[in-house]
Amino acid sequence: MKIGPLNHVGIAVPNLEEAMENYRTLYGATEFVQPFVMEAQGVRVAFVNLPNSQIELIEPYGEKSPIRNFLEKNPKGGQHHVCFEVDSVADAINDAAAEGASVIGEPRIGAHGTLMIFIHPKHSNGVLIELMEPAKH
Amino acid sequence: MKIGPLNHVGIAVPNLEEAMENYRTLYGATEFVQPFVMEAQGVRVAFVNLPNSQIELIEPYGEKSPIRNFLEKNPKGGQHHVCFEVDSVADAINDAAAEGASVIGEPRIGAHGTLMIFIHPKHSNGVLIELMEPAKH
């Protein structure tokens, strides 16, 4: 595989609206994607739009949300993952396997409506890496 | 202030060369800024160049490196900071102070040769935010 642009940085937060307000008032961000629920993933997400990338704010949704464990360890929130674009998630999974790297779960549709997968953080210096196909235009 | 592009994501690692090799072999990265020492900051850094942004890999340098504490808590490494571009670091410090947000240390010259500052993670959901002036062209 060959990673392309850094699509977004995922940040877990206890409250989306408070986090968005902080990006607005402290950092002067003006462009957002308003919160929406991804029920199957157990998250509610919003985006801070930057000229070249996005910050994905992630709030737990439902009792089984994978973000709950993260927030128990980091109650104020914290950096959760980094997402790179790849041409093909299927090819990326095969290439990762050939390098001995394991993915987490099955490929699924992410917050951008395209296929994505996570590579286990043990393969990337403790950083959870998301690989996603860019939106087709 | 108004943040501009996401300039880079900083990732602390125990060994720059191993981390670069991993980005090369696992993720197919081909463009790098080779390692160099920033003695005053107590770090040795390298960059993975992406089409729209960079990954800054950070290794401790010297006994007093601020990265040593981070690696003691996260021995394999981990996400260390997110860096946004701002027009003026001096203005950003004033604006942050007006919002009650504290900076860490004094403005200094960062890895890109321009002025930068860190905002304490307690003001941004546990995320250490770097603000840097972009390189002048």
Side-chain angles (χ1 to χ4, degrees), chain B residues 71-85:
Chain B
L71 287 181
E72 274 171 26
K73 292 177 198 161
N74 312 277
K76 290 183 301 185
Q79 292 187 59
H80 182 265
H81 68 269
V82 178
C83 177
F84 301 117
E85 295 179 12

Side-chain angles (χ1 to χ4, degrees), chain A residues 18 24 28 52 70 89 103 107 126:
Chain A
E18 287 178 17
R24 187 180 290 117
N52 65 334
F70 186 97
V89 161
V103 300

Side-chain angles (χ1 to χ4, degrees), chain A residues 6 22 27 52 79 123-124, chain B residues 6 22 27 52 79 123-124:
Chain A
L6 195 168
N22 190 56
Y27 295 111
N52 65 334
Q79 291 187 62
H123 302 299
S124 316
Chain B
L6 194 168
N22 189 56
Y27 295 111
N52 65 332
Q79 292 187 59
H123 302 299
S124 316

Side-chain angles (χ1 to χ4, degrees), chain A residues 20-89:
Chain A
M20 291 168 74
E21 184 61 18
N22 190 56
Y23 273 91
R24 187 180 290 117
T25 56
L26 178 54
Y27 295 111
T30 55
E31 304 290 329
F32 297 86
V33 174
Q34 293 300 316
F36 60 97
V37 170
M38 300 185 69
E39 193 152 359
Q41 263 84 308
V43 295
R44 190 166 162 264
V45 304
F47 289 92
V48 184
N49 290 342
L50 302 169
N52 65 334
S53 189
Q54 291 178 304
I55 298 293
E56 180 182 30
L57 301 168
I58 314 166
E59 184 187 85
Y61 181 83
E63 287 311 309
K64 292 180 181 173
S65 173
I67 302 298
R68 291 208 183 278
N69 278 346
F70 186 97
L71 287 180
E72 274 171 26
K73 292 178 199 160
N74 311 277
K76 291 184 299 186
Q79 291 187 62
H80 182 265
H81 68 269
V82 177
C83 177
F84 302 117
E85 295 178 12
V86 293
D87 287 339
S88 161
V89 161

Side-chain angles (χ1 to χ4, degrees), chain B residues 75-118:
Chain B
K76 290 183 301 185
Q79 292 187 59
H80 182 265
H81 68 269
V82 178
C83 177
F84 301 117
E85 295 179 12
V86 293
D87 288 340
S88 160
V89 161
D91 289 350
I93 292 171
N94 286 338
D95 293 347
E99 295 290 334
S102 48
V103 301
I104 299 177
E106 296 293 319
R108 48 199 179 279
I109 300 297
H112 294 83
T114 64
L115 214 53
M116 51 73 68
I117 194 75
F118 283 111

